[in-house]
């Protein structure tokens, strides 16, 4: 019995010894200072800055004082975009070519009458997609168009043939627009924007065939689209529109917009693409077309025609 008890004591002692050895393996080895290759916690390289700046910043040289340099160009603010929504007459600029005016008439057509006219014109006008040219390359315009007038109309190097077969409803609308505006029109460009992806880019209606300071009446039917304008930059801006005035006009069903004075000389306009659901919209732009100036290519801009004279 004594031997068995002694044997158990030896076994238990051996287990405790192995546990102590295994425990020592699990412990992290103590750090040593001296020439063992380890870097002490308080080590700092030579020439270290004893008082570092904010986190992540580099040591600053204090031998030179800060000097303020005036910007080469003055800081300019981008003018906020103006919004025109209420009925009225607006003088949007007074130069450089003269006074530019807009007249906005929401509800020019009653809703029920506008609904009927929209459906009829959508179904019965000879809509087609026009091929145009940009930098010598042909492209399909992102909208459908048709033209009415005794003379052809050329813009962007593409011509729409004369068409004297006015739809009776268009004649009725032309008469109503002339009565309200006090202007007379002999031509009509119709645009159909099928959805929000159809558009027309920045441009001015300033072809020589439209004459000087043309008046254009724009009647909208269908879904609302934003009509945007931007002021033409002066020569010192080198064609940069960043700091030019901008206006947006939401054109709703049955709204009439009149562009008068120097609007085509001093401003550009567009109907941009919209990337949310938009239904079809018809835009009727009544205008007056004159014969092309003799000796000039059709579609020439008025400013270029004036320079040649």
């Amino acid at each position: 019995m004594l031997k068995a008890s002694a044997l158990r004591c030896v076994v238990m002692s051996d287990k405790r010894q192995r546990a102590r050895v295994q425990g020592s393996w699990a412990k992290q080895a103590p750090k040593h200072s001296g020439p063992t290759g380890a870097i002490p916690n308080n080590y700092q390289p030579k020439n270290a800055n004893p008082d570092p700046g904010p986190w992540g910043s580099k040591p600053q040289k204090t031998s030179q004082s800060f000097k303020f340099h005036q910007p080469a160009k003055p800081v300019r603010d981008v003018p906020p975009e103006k919004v025109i929504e209420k009925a009225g007459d607006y003088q949007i600029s007074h130069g450089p070519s003269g006074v530019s005016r807009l007249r906005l008439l929401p509800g020019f057509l009653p809703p029920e009458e506008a609904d009927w006219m929209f459906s009829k014109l959508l179904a019965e006008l000879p809509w087609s997609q026009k091929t145009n040219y940009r930098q010598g390359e042909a492209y399909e315009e992102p909208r459908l168009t048709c033209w009415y007038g005794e003379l052809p109309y050329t813009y962007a190097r593409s011509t729409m043939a004369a068409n004297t077969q006015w739809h009776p409803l268009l004649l009725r609308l032309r008469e109503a627009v002339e009565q309200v505006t006090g202007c007379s029109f002999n031509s009509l460009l119709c645009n159909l924007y099928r959805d929000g992806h159809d558009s027309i880019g920045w441009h001015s209606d300033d072809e020589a065939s439209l004459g000087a300071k043309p008046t254009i009446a724009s009647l909208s039917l269908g879904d609302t689209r934003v009509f945007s304008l931007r002021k033409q930059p002066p020569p010192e801006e080198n064609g940069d529109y960043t700091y030019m005035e901008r206006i947006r006009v939401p054109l709703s069903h049955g709204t009439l917009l009149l562009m008068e004075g120097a609007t085509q000389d001093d401003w550009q306009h567009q109907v941009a693409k919209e990337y949310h659901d938009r239904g079809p919209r018809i835009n009727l732009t009544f205008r007056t077309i004159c014969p092309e100036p003799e000796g000039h290519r059709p579609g020439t801009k008025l400013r270029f025609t004036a320079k040649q004279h």
Side-chain angles (χ1 to χ4, degrees):
M1 294 295 293
L2 181 60
K3 290 182 179 181
S5 177
L7 181 59
R8 284 196 297 273
C9 289
V10 172
V11 172
M12 293 299 294
S13 177
D14 182 58
K15 288 182 177 180
R16 284 194 294 270
Q17 179 65 24
R18 282 184 291 173
R20 282 195 297 272
V21 173
Q22 291 173 351
S24 67
W25 290 344
K27 294 180 181 178
Q28 184 176 2
K31 296 181 180 179
H32 299 283
S33 60
T36 60
I39 300 177
N41 291 336
N42 61 351
Y43 170 78
Q44 288 188 352
K46 293 182 180 180
N47 301 325
N49 188 350
D51 185 19
W55 180 84
S57 65
K58 296 180 179 179
Q60 301 293 323
K61 295 181 180 180
T62 57
S63 59
Q64 296 182 354
S65 59
F66 175 77
K67 294 181 179 180
F68 175 77
H69 296 282
Q70 186 71 23
K73 294 182 178 180
V75 178
R76 302 168 65 185
D77 294 328
V78 176
E81 187 177 51
K82 299 177 183 178
V83 180
I84 295 178
E85 295 180 289
K86 296 181 180 180
D89 295 328
Y90 299 86
Q91 293 188 2
I92 57 175
S93 67
H94 292 82
S97 303
V99 178
S100 298
R101 298 186 301 274
L102 298 179
R103 187 189 305 180
L104 184 64
L105 297 172
F108 171 73
L109 294 176
E112 292 184 1
E113 188 175 355
D115 289 344
W116 172 77
M117 291 183 175
F118 172 77
S119 299
K120 192 169 183 65
L121 296 177
L122 181 64
E124 298 181 6
L125 293 191
W127 301 108
S128 64
Q129 190 165 24
K130 185 168 176 281
T131 299
N132 224 316
Y133 300 88
R134 182 189 299 116
Q135 297 179 348
E137 294 187 3
Y139 69 96
E140 299 297 318
E141 287 186 344
R143 62 192 177 280
L144 305 184
T145 58
C146 57
W147 171 255
Y148 293 91
E150 294 183 358
L151 295 172
Y153 179 44
T154 300
Y155 67 93
R157 300 193 177 186
S158 183
T159 299
M160 306 184 80
N163 177 15
T164 59
Q165 303 301 312
W166 285 67
H167 190 287
L169 180 54
L170 296 178
L171 290 173
R172 175 180 164 187
L173 286 172
R174 184 178 71 174
E175 183 179 355
V177 170
E178 289 178 339
Q179 287 179 354
V180 169
T181 63
C183 303
S184 61
F185 304 100
N186 65 7
S187 305
L188 171 62
L189 176 62
C190 309
N191 293 287
L192 171 58
Y193 300 86
R194 295 161 291 185
D195 53 33
H197 297 289
D198 274 0
S199 64
I200 186 168
W202 290 111
H203 70 286
S204 299
D205 294 320
D206 56 352
E207 289 79 21
S209 61
L210 291 170
K213 306 289 187 294
T215 295
I216 297 177
S218 171
L219 177 61
S220 295
L221 297 168
D223 212 344
T224 300
R225 292 293 292 270
V226 173
F227 183 78
S228 301
L229 300 101
R230 65 180 183 182
K231 189 80 181 294
Q232 296 270 23
E236 59 269 22
E237 294 291 343
N238 296 315
D240 184 6
Y241 286 85
T242 303
Y243 301 102
M244 305 313 298
E245 297 172 74
R246 291 175 182 262
I247 299 172
R248 58 187 284 124
V249 187
L251 295 178
S252 57
H253 190 40
T255 295
L256 180 66
L257 175 69
L258 198 67
M259 294 182 282
E260 299 178 285
T263 304
Q264 304 305 324
D265 298 298
D266 294 343
W267 293 77
Q268 287 187 332
H269 54 269
Q270 72 162 356
V271 176
K273 295 181 185 296
E274 297 189 20
Y275 294 95
H276 49 273
D277 290 340
R278 286 295 187 195
R281 169 188 179 248
I282 292 175
N283 176 229
L284 307 177
T285 55
F286 296 93
R287 53 192 72 199
T288 298
I289 293 290
C290 306
E292 295 281 357
E294 186 177 354
H296 295 276
R297 179 177 57 81
T300 302
K301 296 290 187 178
L302 183 63
R303 61 184 180 274
F304 297 133
T305 303
K307 285 182 181 179
Q308 293 181 20
H309 282 292

